[in-house]
């Protein structure tokens, strides 16, 4: 096929997509689901069609992501949630994982496999959402059913997931702890192959039949505890039995232009996301945000987080309010830079974790970020259970006892997660979030500010992104260095870096910069957008 015909087909597809995202389609609008795996988005669609609300759909999406993106999130991980019921002010659900009671003071390099895992929160969070905010129209079993089917019948590995598997093949082959469950005949599944997970299917069936309690108090809990005991892990049956419901919190918020932006409270990184947005708003001063503004806002916000972290993860209100005040923003912008050259740490080439968004016809919106931390978490699974434990213990701060994230028992895990909801005139208009550790903050702040400025979520999601760590500026496209003002480079002693490109699946778009799955209301229509850096899909659901 020649280039012109290909282009014509592409234009037709684009027009069809625009048509499909408009509300003038026959049929009743039920909602939108945008997630990193087509299978998981379809699971959400199924639940909306059965009469479930956005919360029900989100639970089904979560369980299905645990099967179809096992490198990113799962039953062994943590889940952070921001939700707004029927356009009411958002609520934050702090679904942090916690370090086990038996955590000892050790150095970071002694944490391997089972010992890397905090106590998983995901199942507890999903159960809490179901009990408190589910519609009651769909049963718990029905929400897990699609995930069981993907685990039993297999799912097709998409191009991004295929690359991740290839890159981590050796690690999966080397681990002595049942990571062959994620291989096909001992080899990493390739794009287009089907991966079945019969053991995970059995665990999911138990969860469907006996409920979330089985994970914390029943047979699944016993299996986790005995696997941990056998393999040097710290998580005990008591840790699981004592694990509490997630706490509901008032999300952090700012005004930005004429919008209200809500993001996740500590221990998450929402405050830095909002601080960067305030810096961007002040820098752009009503003009279109440019590359220099983004770099400066990211530099100041990310370094403020590093040097002046939120010190109290429970009583944080007054410090966070101060940090989000006009005065603090002005102060940061007029600060004489200390422009210390960075100590080089290795570039983490990662896009692990997952974020998805759902809205339903009533306006209820939910933003969920879920993770097992590193790709394939701790690289350990129980032969009986078939899911990977997380590696959140890696992110505690070692040998600094006074630090808010110092390694100690029963401590909340450090996180950059920033599920975010934007409201205008009291209505939800944007639901957004991303994976990518500190890149979560850079990407969510950039895209949310850009969207408030000019909407068009599908276009914004495909634009190149920027991340700043210390004085290192990561540009997604190398030629963009030419856009950066020399005075800015000099002021902050900036150095340009370019991350590993081995996981790229589309043009110059690198999953290093996150994987945004967002839903926005534009010209009174809901539009879902899946990040082209991953395998995801957004579905506009009509009856
Ligand atoms: O901020 C968190 O919760 C993460 N550490 C989760 C992992 C992630 O997004 C990708 N990590 N490099």
């Amino acid at each position: 096929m020649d280039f012109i015909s290909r282009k014509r087909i592409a234009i037709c597809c684009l027009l069809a997509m625009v048509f499909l995202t408009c509300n003038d389609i026959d049929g009743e609008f039920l909602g939108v689901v945008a997630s990193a795996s087509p299978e998981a988005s379809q699971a959400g669609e199924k639940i909306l069609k059965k009469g479930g609300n956005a919360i029900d759909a989100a639970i089904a999406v979560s369980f299905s992501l645990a099967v179809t993106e096992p490198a990113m999130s799962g039953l062994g991980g943590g889940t952070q949630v921001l939700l707004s019921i029927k356009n009411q002010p958002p609520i934050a659900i702090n679904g942090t994982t916690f370090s086990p009671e038996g955590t000892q003071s050790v150095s970071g390099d002694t944490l391997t496999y089972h010992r890397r895992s905090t106590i998983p929160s995901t199942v507890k969070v999903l159960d809490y959402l179901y009990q408190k905010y589910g519609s009651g129209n769909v049963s718990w079993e029905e929400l897990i059913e699609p995930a069981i089917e993907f685990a039993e019948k297999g799912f097709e590995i998409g191009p991004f997931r295929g690359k991740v598997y290839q890159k981590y093949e050796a690690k999966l082959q080397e681990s002595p702890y049942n990571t062959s469950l994620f291989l096909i005949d001992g080899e990493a599944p390739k794009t287009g192959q089907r991966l079945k997970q019969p053991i995970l299917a059995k665990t999911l069936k138990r969860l469907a039949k006996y409920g979330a309690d089985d994970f914390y108090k029943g047979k699944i809990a016993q299996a986790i505890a005995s696997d941990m005991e056998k393999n040097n892990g710290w998580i005990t049956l008591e840790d699981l039995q004592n694990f509490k419901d997630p706490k509901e919190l008032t999300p952090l918020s700012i005004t930005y232009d004429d919008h209200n932006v809500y993001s996740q409270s500590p221990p998450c990184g929402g405050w830095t996301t909002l601080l960067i947005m305030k810096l961007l708003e002040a820098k752009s001063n009503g003009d279109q945000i440019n590359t220099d503004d983004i770099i400066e806002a990211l530099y100041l916000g990310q370094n403020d987080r590093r040097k002046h972290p939120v010190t109290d993860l429970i009583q944080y209100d007054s410090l966070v309010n101060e940090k989000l005040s006009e005065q603090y923003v002005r102060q940061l912008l007029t600060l004489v830079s200390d422009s210390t050259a960075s100590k080089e740490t290795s570039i983490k080439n990662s896009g692990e974790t997952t974020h998805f968004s759902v809205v339903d016809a009533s306006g209820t919106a939910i933003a969920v970020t879920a993770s097992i931390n590193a790709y394939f978490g701790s690289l350990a699974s129980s032969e009986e259970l078939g899911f990977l434990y997380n590696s959140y213990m890696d992110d505690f701060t070692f040998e600094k006892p006074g630090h808010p994230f110092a390694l100690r028992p029963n401590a909340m895990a450090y996180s950059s997660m920033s599920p975010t909801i934007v409201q205008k005139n009291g209505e939800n208009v944007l639901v957004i979030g991303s994976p990518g550790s500190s890149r979560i903050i850079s990407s969510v702040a950039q895209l949310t500010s850009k969207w408030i400025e000019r909407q068009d979520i599908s276009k914004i999601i495909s634009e190149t992104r920027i991340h700043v760590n210390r004085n290192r500026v990561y540009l997604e496209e190398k030629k963009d260095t030419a856009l950066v003002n020399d005075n800015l480079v000099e002021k902050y002693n900036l150095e340009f870096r370019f991350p590993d490109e081995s996981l790229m699946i589309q043009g110059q778009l690198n999953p290093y910069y996150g994987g945004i799955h967002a839903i926005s209301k534009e010209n009174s229509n809901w539009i879902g957008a899946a990040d082209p850096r991953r395998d995801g899909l957004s579905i506009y659901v009509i009856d």
Side-chain angles (χ1 to χ4, degrees), residues 11-118:
I11 290 169
C12 290
C13 289
L14 196 70
L15 289 174
M17 271 162 60
V18 170
F19 176 76
L20 281 171
T21 51
C22 290
N23 285 0
D24 54 359
I25 304 165
D26 285 344
E28 189 193 344
F29 170 69
L30 298 178
V32 183
V33 186
S35 91
S37 114
E39 303 81 15
S41 296
Q42 282 151 11
E45 174 188 27
K46 199 168 180 178
I47 297 305
L48 289 175
K49 285 187 167 172
K50 280 187 173 184
N53 62 11
I55 312 301
D56 296 322
I59 298 166
V61 172
S62 251
F63 278 119
S64 294
L65 283 169
V67 176
T68 60
E69 262 197 326
M72 319 295 175
S73 72
L75 307 185
T79 292
Q80 291 286 353
V81 179
L82 202 68
L83 59 86
S84 156
I85 303 294
K86 298 184 181 166
N87 295 310
Q88 285 167 29
I91 298 161
I93 311 275
N94 176 13
T96 181
T97 63
F98 285 86
S99 57
E101 171 78 37
T103 299
Q104 294 159 24
S105 305
V106 291
S107 63
D109 53 12
T110 63
L111 296 181
T112 57
Y113 298 113
H114 297 70
R115 229 170 232 202
R116 295 171 74 188
S117 185
T118 49

Side-chain angles (χ1 to χ4, degrees), residues 348 350 352-353 371 373 392 395 415-417 435-437 439-440:
K348 270 182 100 189
S350 32
E352 53 275 56
T353 305
S371 184
N373 204 19
Y392 265 102
D395 289 357
S415 177
S416 301
M417 288 181 181
S437 284
R439 292 152 283 125
I440 293 175

